Amino acid sequence: MVSEEKNIILEVRNLSVGYWKKGNDSVVAEAINFSIEKGELVGLVGANGIGKSTLLRTLTGMQDALNGAIFLKGKNLNEYSSFQLATQLSVVLTEAPASKNLSVLEMVSLGRQPYTNWIGSLSEEDKKAIQFALEATETATLAHRKCFELSDGQMQRVAIARALAQDTPIIILDEPTTHLDIYHRAYILKLLKKLASETQKTILFSTHEIDLAIQLTDKMLVMAKNETYFDDPCKLIEAGRFDTLFPKETIDFDGKTGRFTIRK
Amino acid sequence: MQTTQANRVQFIVLFIALIAAFLVNLGMGSVSIPLDEIISVFIGNGASKETWRYIIMDYRLPKAVTAMLAGGGLAVSGLLMQTLFRNPLAGPFVLGLSSGASLGVAILILGAGAFGGFFGTILMSQWSLVIASALGSFLVLLAVLAVTFRIKDTMAILIIGLMFGSVTTAVVSVLSYFSNAEQLQQYIFWSFGSLGNQSWEGVSILTLCFLAGLGLSVFSSKSLNGLLLGENYAKSMGLHIKRTTFIIILATSILAGSITAFVGPIAFVGLAVPHLVRQFYKTSNHFVLLPAVLLCGSLLMLVCDTVAQLPFSEFTLPINAITSLIGAPVVIWLLVRKRKLFF
């Protein structure tokens, strides 16, 4: 495929996402088209309930697409076994780990599961990947703490470390900045930016921090009511794509500063 | 996951305690036999009295082995259920297995009156009890497995297991209402649980089931570790949730079902032992927890059985009551002290 030359790693063509309900499909969002290159940081924004999570669930293979196709490294997502997919794509979900009794090191080590043998013993390579993940997210000092002892900000870094340890070319994060204060929101997004440029991983995340995302991301995917736009943040501002995101009478987008202001 | 190095001390202590409990258990009973005689029997030199050799080899030893298998097996299945359902309250009996076994036995004992006379006495042999409870738990197991094939949500499986339990308990109540005092007493004695009166034949069948269940558990350990993160994370790491759920439930059912069939419904061990072990082992790795839970369960059951013998007396208390009487205060004490229920 031509995607080899342009280094396109994730390509979505005419995708419809939603749910099957007894033969009738209820479409949440449709006609989604975009292609993401290697090493790009992409922010997915849109109002609550517009279908961001549904789109991410479809992209990660957790639910089937209603229509259209997703290509990962030029190969249709359906053709990947769940095991193969685990070495290509890792996730950071909004949910906390089920067991809070896991230590940070244990949780990050679990990211190596797709590579370990049936006893799950760690090879030198596994240990290196774990060490790298801990250092990159500045969680090495937390390694022997239990998950229930961590703050929300630390927990999110550990969740990212686990995905890093899985060592996949793509990482998809669902709202990694919720429940965090302004400092940690900026910290997490800067961390993602750094990881994308230094490790050449492709990182796609959904967020409500539109102004922060505009400043940091390479590309943005804007989900509006009837259409989905994908482009550089600056071009999206020029085209006025953020203006119609929310009802005008309550909140207004200022194209010069790239911020939303409340209408008084 | 971390290596087992740090937990070596706990394992050594547990192992020594288990051997000590095993020897004490063999020594205790209505007839007191000195320790050196017991060891002599084991080495093959025989005891100074032939009856002692007989008591040890054909009564106490099978009982001690049954206790270890039952305690270890129930504890392991409790660990599996707690991880599978991500619920610290889950135990081997949440799937309704013991209720199924109770139903089987209730129909046999309480229903035998309906046949009466000769046929009734044939039904009452020891083996028929085992077969009835095995059939009962097996039928519930099939129902639960059929449900797991259809339903994605593990929490729904948990609720359905509890529902099966309620229904069978209700049927047992109805049966008890219509049966006479003698039958009722017999049923209640069965429900006390009993480790004794096991033939070597029975013990070997139990051992086979135990090994099968344990093998499946060890095989699932890596998946169990993955499940600690939650179903969605586990799936994203390439785990087949349905297949894993099926194997884990199968392992639990084989363990809990066969044990209940042989020794009766023994509450508490499956629920409590994993919590006890989590207090002492600073890991969530199932490759460490599984052997620890196995040893700890065996140890607890041996100790309980020793106490149930009421040393130096001729009475034997119901094992089911002893496990709870000894175990519950220990768990309460630990939880109050640590103020946190680990999972």
PDB file of all heavy atoms in Angstrom, chain A residues 20 53 136 147 176 194 243:
ATOM      1  N   TRP A  20     -25.630  -2.392  17.751  1.00  0.00           N
ATOM      2  CA  TRP A  20     -26.666  -3.227  17.142  1.00  0.00           C
ATOM      3  C   TRP A  20     -27.754  -3.459  18.165  1.00  0.00           C
ATOM      4  O   TRP A  20     -27.496  -3.846  19.284  1.00  0.00           O
ATOM      5  CB  TRP A  20     -26.093  -4.576  16.740  1.00  0.00           C
ATOM      6  CG  TRP A  20     -25.170  -4.507  15.577  1.00  0.00           C
ATOM      7  CD1 TRP A  20     -23.817  -4.426  15.624  1.00  0.00           C
ATOM      8  CD2 TRP A  20     -25.527  -4.505  14.205  1.00  0.00           C
ATOM      9  NE1 TRP A  20     -23.308  -4.368  14.360  1.00  0.00           N
ATOM     10  CE2 TRP A  20     -24.330  -4.416  13.465  1.00  0.00           C
ATOM     11  CE3 TRP A  20     -26.744  -4.555  13.517  1.00  0.00           C
ATOM     12  CZ2 TRP A  20     -24.312  -4.389  12.082  1.00  0.00           C
ATOM     13  CZ3 TRP A  20     -26.716  -4.533  12.127  1.00  0.00           C
ATOM     14  CH2 TRP A  20     -25.520  -4.449  11.421  1.00  0.00           C
ATOM     15  N   SER A  53     -16.239   7.958  23.000  1.00  0.00           N
ATOM     16  CA  SER A  53     -15.881   6.660  23.579  1.00  0.00           C
ATOM     17  C   SER A  53     -16.259   5.518  22.648  1.00  0.00           C
ATOM     18  O   SER A  53     -15.521   4.544  22.513  1.00  0.00           O
ATOM     19  CB  SER A  53     -16.582   6.467  24.930  1.00  0.00           C
ATOM     20  OG  SER A  53     -16.085   7.386  25.857  1.00  0.00           O
ATOM     21  N   ALA A 136      10.042   6.759  32.061  1.00  0.00           N
ATOM     22  CA  ALA A 136       9.453   7.744  31.151  1.00  0.00           C
ATOM     23  C   ALA A 136       8.271   8.453  31.791  1.00  0.00           C
ATOM     24  O   ALA A 136       7.999   9.619  31.500  1.00  0.00           O
ATOM     25  CB  ALA A 136       9.011   7.058  29.856  1.00  0.00           C
ATOM     26  N   CYS A 147      -1.701   0.331  44.507  1.00  0.00           N
ATOM     27  CA  CYS A 147      -2.543   1.246  43.726  1.00  0.00           C
ATOM     28  C   CYS A 147      -3.471   2.071  44.595  1.00  0.00           C
ATOM     29  O   CYS A 147      -3.760   3.220  44.291  1.00  0.00           O
ATOM     30  CB  CYS A 147      -3.355   0.477  42.690  1.00  0.00           C
ATOM     31  SG  CYS A 147      -2.384   0.019  41.267  1.00  0.00           S
ATOM     32  N   PRO A 176      -7.738  10.821  29.365  1.00  0.00           N
ATOM     33  CA  PRO A 176      -6.695  10.643  30.392  1.00  0.00           C
ATOM     34  C   PRO A 176      -6.610  11.811  31.368  1.00  0.00           C
ATOM     35  O   PRO A 176      -5.907  11.703  32.367  1.00  0.00           O
ATOM     36  CB  PRO A 176      -5.410  10.535  29.575  1.00  0.00           C
ATOM     37  CG  PRO A 176      -5.703  11.243  28.308  1.00  0.00           C
ATOM     38  CD  PRO A 176      -7.157  11.048  28.032  1.00  0.00           C
ATOM     39  N   LYS A 194       5.679  14.291  24.613  1.00  0.00           N
ATOM     40  CA  LYS A 194       7.081  13.871  24.673  1.00  0.00           C
ATOM     41  C   LYS A 194       7.229  12.425  24.183  1.00  0.00           C
ATOM     42  O   LYS A 194       8.117  12.096  23.399  1.00  0.00           O
ATOM     43  CB  LYS A 194       7.578  14.000  26.118  1.00  0.00           C
ATOM     44  CG  LYS A 194       9.081  13.915  26.260  1.00  0.00           C
ATOM     45  CD  LYS A 194       9.493  13.954  27.709  1.00  0.00           C
ATOM     46  CE  LYS A 194       9.509  12.555  28.271  1.00  0.00           C
ATOM     47  NZ  LYS A 194       9.943  12.433  29.647  1.00  0.00           N
ATOM     48  N   ASP A 243     -16.252  26.519  16.494  1.00  0.00           N
ATOM     49  CA  ASP A 243     -17.312  27.482  16.804  1.00  0.00           C
ATOM     50  C   ASP A 243     -18.651  26.807  17.045  1.00  0.00           C
ATOM     51  O   ASP A 243     -19.443  27.236  17.872  1.00  0.00           O
ATOM     52  CB  ASP A 243     -17.460  28.497  15.651  1.00  0.00           C
ATOM     53  CG  ASP A 243     -16.150  29.240  15.430  1.00  0.00           C
ATOM     54  OD1 ASP A 243     -15.234  29.049  16.254  1.00  0.00           O
ATOM     55  OD2 ASP A 243     -16.048  30.001  14.453  1.00  0.00           O
TER      56      ASP A 243
END
